[in-house]
Amino acid sequence: MALGWIASARGISFAINNRLFRRINNASPGRFDMASSSSSSSSVAQSGNNPLQCESDDGRRWWPCAGVAALNSKGEILIGERIGKPGSWQAPQGGIDGSESVFDAAIREMYEEVGLEHGRHVLLETTTTAVVKCKYETEGTRGWLEDEGYAGQELNWVVFRCTSSDLEMDPSLVCTLSGLNGERPEFSAVRWEGLDRVVDDVWEKKALPYRALRDYCVRLATRWEERCAELDLGGRWSRDNGRNVGVEEALVARGLSPDDASRLASEPYLQSWRRHSEARPSEWIVTTYRDDGWIEIRRELHYPIGEFEERYEGTSTIFGGGADDGGGGVARRRCFYLADADANGGVAHVAVSTMPDAAGQGGVVAIRQEQRARSQAHFLRPHVERAGHIHRSVRQMLICYRTHHSRLSPS
């Protein structure tokens, strides 16, 4: 996502600790209330001409940093365990270089410290363009900040939303912790954690900005739930085969010939969606049909938020089952909402299914299926359109995994 709308930093340049920073003259000083020098203060700054202040009114100097608040579908934040400090967990953060905006610095630090890319793994939170700013003191720690004459740091939080199902389910399989762009590694492990737990466990002096972030994210959580509930997936859907990723390859890995895999991957896959209830507007009842006549029902499933299992009977092209093994099986499923740049409203419903033992592969290959439903019209048949039914696109992805590895990896 281009950040062309972010105003570039302009002002008076000066050097601090061999790194160049800019002290910016705010073109619109009334647009936000700058956090005071007190360690108990915090504020929310709007994007645009974000002043990066290195000195407060009382003359104390503060090191300006960008903090990465990457949130998953549950509102949990991505944190890492610091190398050499077992049990010390925090979110990615780092100093703001030169004329970088807060947003650019957060995107860079996120990539360097945990290997996540904006636009691929996460997206900027679109509900607000605010930056949560909070100063915290580090005096008495005998660290380099104190040696350089700083009272502490000014942490500028930038909020991101997870857009990758792999990251949502297990960040340890997605994040790169070796240090990128020539930077040293910062973390030995990563995980999702609730902000309440993070505030309780983080270093005492750094708890203040995490409390400010938590308080701010309470409002974001409410709006996120509203956005998910507002997503209209009701009506008739068809898988958009042009959006398929790895489907033919997965079917070949299941033992199908390339011709059969190509044919099956291009067949119609028709569904109708309806909300579960007014009390649970983010959950869906999904009916799948056997052909494009919309008459014979293959199955009907309730898609709750979270994890559940589906037991199926007979054979399945994707999940296997046949005469040799008696047919049937259990699919592990998980439903959640993710940020999605291609979806109307910026939110997509994601259902991920896994079969641990694909038929005919001796328990070696597992297939993971991802279905991402976006509220985006995709008309297939004129007579259906005239009848008032809207076909919408469903993105489908199949990936084969080797189950005997300690970590799942593509086959």
Side-chain angles (χ1 to χ4, degrees):
M1 177 178 179
L3 297 180
W5 53 269
I6 299 178
S8 61
R10 292 179 297 177
I12 304 172
S13 301
F14 61 102
I16 301 178
N17 195 32
N18 297 322
R19 301 178 75 180
L20 184 65
F21 284 82
R22 290 185 184 270
R23 189 172 184 177
I24 304 168
N25 297 321
N26 187 9
S28 304
R31 289 189 59 192
F32 87 103
D33 180 21
M34 173 67 79
S36 71
S37 61
S38 169
S39 62
S40 62
S41 65
S42 64
S43 68
V44 176
Q46 300 299 322
S47 67
N49 295 323
N50 289 323
L52 301 180
Q53 181 171 303
C54 297
E55 184 175 313
S56 53
D57 293 339
D58 60 4
R60 292 198 294 175
R61 296 164 59 201
W62 305 83
W63 182 263
C65 292
V68 177
L71 305 179
N72 66 4
S73 65
K74 300 177 182 178
E76 297 169 328
I77 188 173
L78 182 71
I79 56 175
E81 185 176 31
R82 299 182 64 185
I83 291 178
K85 296 184 177 181
S88 177
W89 294 76
Q90 68 172 52
Q93 70 170 73
I96 302 172
D97 292 338
S99 59
E100 280 186 315
S101 70
V102 173
F103 298 90
D104 289 336
I107 290 171
R108 176 183 53 76
E109 289 290 342
M110 178 171 57
Y111 176 72
E112 291 175 350
E113 295 191 359
V114 293
L116 299 184
E117 299 177 31
H118 178 256
R120 179 184 177 190
H121 303 107
V122 298
L123 293 170
L124 280 170
E125 167 61 65
T126 58
T127 301
T128 176
T129 55
V131 173
V132 182
K133 304 169 68 70
C134 186
K135 294 181 175 69
Y136 66 99
E137 297 176 349
T138 58
E139 293 174 328
T141 60
R142 297 183 180 180
W144 69 269
L145 285 171
E146 188 172 9
D147 293 341
E148 295 291 336
Y150 291 99
Q153 300 197 54
E154 181 183 77
L155 192 54
N156 298 262
W157 288 111
V158 178
V159 181
F160 299 87
R161 285 283 179 189
C162 178
T163 189
S164 163
S165 60
D166 292 329
L167 178 64
E168 169 80 16
M169 295 189 296
D170 191 348
S172 68
L173 299 181
V174 178
C175 292
T176 300
L177 306 182
S178 58
L180 300 174
N181 283 345
E183 296 296 318
R184 293 182 302 177
E186 293 284 342
F187 302 119
S188 59
V190 288
R191 74 171 194 257
W192 295 112
E193 188 57 82
L195 276 165
D196 286 338
R197 176 73 179 273
V198 174
V199 169
D200 290 340
D201 292 346
V202 76
W203 179 43
E204 180 181 359
K205 288 183 176 294
K206 195 176 283 188
L208 180 65
Y210 280 85
R211 284 199 294 270
L213 175 66
R214 179 189 60 185
D215 295 343
Y216 182 68
C217 284
V218 169
R219 289 173 286 169
L220 286 185
T222 300
R223 182 55 189 140
W224 173 255
E225 292 176 0
E226 292 172 348
R227 289 171 66 191
C228 296
E230 291 167 359
L231 181 61
D232 182 11
L233 302 177
R236 293 184 175 181
W237 288 70
S238 172
R239 179 176 64 202
D240 182 354
N241 294 323
R243 296 176 180 268
N244 285 347
V245 178
V247 173
E248 290 188 32
E249 294 83 352
L251 294 177
V252 169
R254 274 269 295 111
L256 277 69
S257 69
D259 289 342
D260 286 343
S262 178
R263 175 178 55 81
L264 291 172
S266 61
E267 283 185 346
Y269 187 78
L270 306 177
Q271 295 181 328
S272 64
W273 290 52
R274 69 179 188 274
R275 291 192 191 277
H276 178 275
S277 63
E278 291 186 4
R280 290 186 281 181
S282 297
E283 299 185 4
W284 295 88
I285 305 296
V286 179
T287 303
T288 304
Y289 297 86
R290 291 192 179 278
D291 53 43
D292 58 3
W294 300 94
I295 297 175
E296 187 176 358
I297 295 176
R298 178 184 297 173
R299 69 177 185 275
E300 186 170 88
L301 284 178
H302 170 211
Y303 278 7
I305 298 301
E307 298 183 5
F308 63 102
E309 290 187 345
E310 177 203 358
R311 180 170 294 278
Y312 68 92
E313 297 179 357
T315 62
S316 168
T317 300
I318 302 300
F319 295 137
D324 293 340
D325 57 15
V330 177
R332 297 198 306 270
R333 298 187 182 273
R334 181 173 174 181
C335 294
F336 44 85
Y337 287 85
L338 293 179
D340 193 314
D342 294 332
N344 294 344
V347 178
H349 179 281
V350 179
V352 175
S353 308
T354 304
M355 281 296 297
D357 298 308
Q361 301 297 325
V364 174
V365 175
I367 291 184
R368 201 201 79 182
Q369 176 190 40
E370 174 186 325
Q371 176 179 285
R372 184 173 297 221
R374 301 182 177 98
S375 184
Q376 186 177 49
H378 181 74
F379 297 103
L380 292 183
R381 299 183 186 276
H383 75 274
V384 175
E385 179 182 352
R386 287 196 297 271
H389 298 299
I390 297 179
H391 284 276
R392 304 170 188 267
S393 61
V394 178
R395 180 180 184 272
Q396 183 109 338
M397 179 171 65
L398 299 180
I399 304 175
C400 286
Y401 291 107
R402 300 286 180 182
T403 59
H404 62 271
H405 288 173
S406 58
R407 285 167 53 121
L408 295 181
S409 59
S411 61

